[in-house]
Amino acid sequence: MTLDFSVKGKLKIRMDDHVKNILEDFPVKFNKDSKQETPAGNDLLEAGKGKLLLNAEYRQIFHTTVARGLYVSKRACLDIHPTITILASRVREPTESDWKKCVRMMRYLFCTLLYHLTLSNESLRVMKWMINASFAVHPDFKSHTGGTLSFGGGGAQVTSKKQKLNSRSSTEAELIAVDNVVMMILWTKLFMEWQGYPIEKNILYQDNKSAILLEENGCKSAGKRSQAINIRYFFITDQVEKGNVKIKYCPTDDMIADFMTKPLQGEKFCKFRDLILGPQE
C-alpha cells in the first residue's frame, strides 16, 4: 500500500502492485483490447442460471481471489466493494455463474488498474454519512445496506452488507440499514475525538422521509404499517436526542450510498464512483 501525501491537503492511497499480483495469479488473462466499464452486471444479486458447482481447483482460485479482492476493496479499490461483498457470500459453494461474475470484476480491475482512492477534507470536525437500502433485492427477499463516510472528498469508510432479516417495506429496510451502521457512526465520532478533533457535526443523510421521521420522533411517528417495527431500530432516536447525530434528507439522485447497495450502471455508476474514489489525476 502506498500512501501519497505529495499533493497538499490530499492523501492518495494506491495498491497498484498488489492488484497486479492478483491479476497475474488469476487464470483468465486480459489484454489492451479488454473493456469493462462496471465491475458487476444487473444479475449480481441473482443466484444465476449456471448452477453447476466449480471443481476443487477453481473453487480454491475463486476463494483466494475474492479474499485478496476484499482486502483492496476496503482500502484503495472501494468501487469493487459491493461486488466483492456478494462474491464473498458465495465462496463456500461457488457456481459457474459466480465464476463469470468474478471474471467480470477482474476484467474491470484490469481496465481501471491506475485508479486510486484520493481523500481530502473540508473539515475534520464535520462527518457526513450517507446510508441507504435497496429493498428486497436478494433471492430470499432480504434487503441490502449501503453506507459511506466523507469528510469532504473520497470515501473515508464504506460498507455494503446484506440485511439479516426480512423487512416489509422500503421504510423498514432503511431503518434496518441505519441500525446496521449506527455503531460505526458512533465509534468513528469517538475515534476522531480521541485523536484531538472534537466533532461539531455528525450528519446522517437519507433519501427516505418516512424513515427520517421515525428515526427523529420514534414511536410518535409510527403508523399502522410501522407500529410492529422492533423497538431496537429506534436506538437512533435516542442518539438524535443526545446530539450525537443529526439526520438530514438527501435526494435519491445524490445518494452516494446507493452505489453500495446494488450494481449501478452507466452514468450513475461513474458519477458516484468519482465521488467515492475522489479525483483521478
Side-chain angles (χ1 to χ4, degrees), residues 32-52:
K32 62 180 181 180
D33 296 323
S34 299
K35 293 182 180 180
Q36 191 63 66
E37 295 182 352
T38 62
N42 291 323
D43 62 344
L44 175 65
L45 300 175
E46 299 175 3
K49 296 180 180 179
K51 296 182 179 180
L52 186 65

Side-chain angles (χ1 to χ4, degrees), residues 120-139:
S120 59
N121 75 85
E122 297 171 356
S123 172
L124 288 177
R125 290 175 171 79
V126 177
M127 300 197 308
K128 297 180 179 180
W129 291 88
M130 290 198 174
I131 309 297
N132 198 25
S134 285
F135 175 59
V137 291
H138 287 277

Side-chain angles (χ1 to χ4, degrees), residues 5 58 74 159 192:
F5 293 92
Y58 273 79
K74 292 291 285 185
T159 184
M192 292 299 295

Side-chain angles (χ1 to χ4, degrees), residues 26 39-40 43-54 58-59 61-63 65-66 83-106 139:
F26 195 63
D43 62 344
L44 175 65
L45 300 175
E46 299 175 3
K49 296 180 180 179
K51 296 182 179 180
L52 186 65
L53 294 177
L54 298 179
Y58 273 79
R59 188 160 60 244
I61 294 172
F62 181 88
H63 195 159
T65 301
V66 170
T83 305
I84 280 289
T85 298
I86 299 302
L87 295 181
S89 68
R90 312 274 173 82
V91 294
R92 288 188 178 181
E93 295 184 332
T95 65
E96 290 181 341
S97 176
D98 298 324
W99 177 256
K100 291 178 180 178
K101 294 170 184 177
C102 183
V103 171
R104 175 176 176 142
M105 182 199 69
M106 294 299 288

Side-chain angles (χ1 to χ4, degrees), residues 36-238:
Q36 191 63 66
E37 295 182 352
T38 62
N42 291 323
D43 62 344
L44 175 65
L45 300 175
E46 299 175 3
K49 296 180 180 179
K51 296 182 179 180
L52 186 65
L53 294 177
L54 298 179
N55 60 39
E57 178 186 1
Y58 273 79
R59 188 160 60 244
Q60 182 60 46
I61 294 172
F62 181 88
H63 195 159
T64 301
T65 301
V66 170
R68 296 172 77 182
L70 185 61
Y71 179 72
V72 299
S73 78
K74 292 291 285 185
R75 289 159 178 81
C77 303
L78 308 186
D79 46 338
I80 67 166
H81 187 61
T83 305
I84 280 289
T85 298
I86 299 302
L87 295 181
S89 68
R90 312 274 173 82
V91 294
R92 288 188 178 181
E93 295 184 332
T95 65
E96 290 181 341
S97 176
D98 298 324
W99 177 256
K100 291 178 180 178
K101 294 170 184 177
C102 183
V103 171
R104 175 176 176 142
M105 182 199 69
M106 294 299 288
R107 186 183 297 112
Y108 172 82
L109 268 182
F110 176 83
C111 295
T112 59
L113 183 60
L114 298 181
Y115 280 43
H116 55 274
L117 173 62
T118 301
L119 298 175
S120 59
N121 75 85
E122 297 171 356
S123 172
L124 288 177
R125 290 175 171 79
V126 177
M127 300 197 308
K128 297 180 179 180
W129 291 88
M130 290 198 174
I131 309 297
N132 198 25
S134 285
F135 175 59
V137 291
H138 287 277
D140 57 2
F141 298 104
K142 287 185 172 66
S143 301
H144 199 91
T145 294
T148 64
L149 164 65
S150 174
F151 288 94
Q157 286 198 62
V158 298
T159 184
S160 177
K161 62 177 69 176
K162 180 181 178 181
Q163 296 184 357
K164 294 184 178 180
L165 67 163
N166 289 92
S167 52
R168 296 182 297 175
S169 68
S170 57
T171 296
E172 190 172 344
E174 294 278 355
L175 288 172
I176 295 172
V178 171
D179 186 73
N180 287 161
V181 186
V182 67
M183 298 313 297
M184 186 187 299
I185 294 174
L186 299 176
W187 181 90
T188 306
K189 178 178 183 291
L190 292 173
F191 176 83
M192 292 299 295
E193 289 176 343
W194 275 92
Q195 306 311 307
Y197 298 97
I199 299 301
E200 298 170 359
K201 295 180 181 180
N202 192 11
I203 307 171
L204 191 167
Y205 290 95
Q206 285 188 279
D207 61 1
N208 187 307
K209 292 184 177 180
S210 295
I212 292 174
L213 285 173
L214 285 165
E215 290 155 3
E216 289 182 333
N217 303 322
C219 294
K220 291 183 288 186
S221 292
K224 292 182 179 180
R225 295 191 63 186
S226 56
Q227 60 185 3
I229 296 176
N230 194 308
I231 195 65
R232 73 188 181 101
Y233 295 117
F234 293 119
F235 172 78
I236 188 67
T237 307
D238 184 51

Side-chain angles (χ1 to χ4, degrees), residues 246-265:
K246 181 178 179 61
I247 303 174
K248 290 187 177 182
Y249 174 75
C250 173
T252 300
D253 288 341
D254 297 324
M255 175 51 66
I256 302 173
D258 196 36
F259 187 96
M260 295 291 161
T261 66
K262 54 182 174 289
L264 300 180
Q265 308 296 326

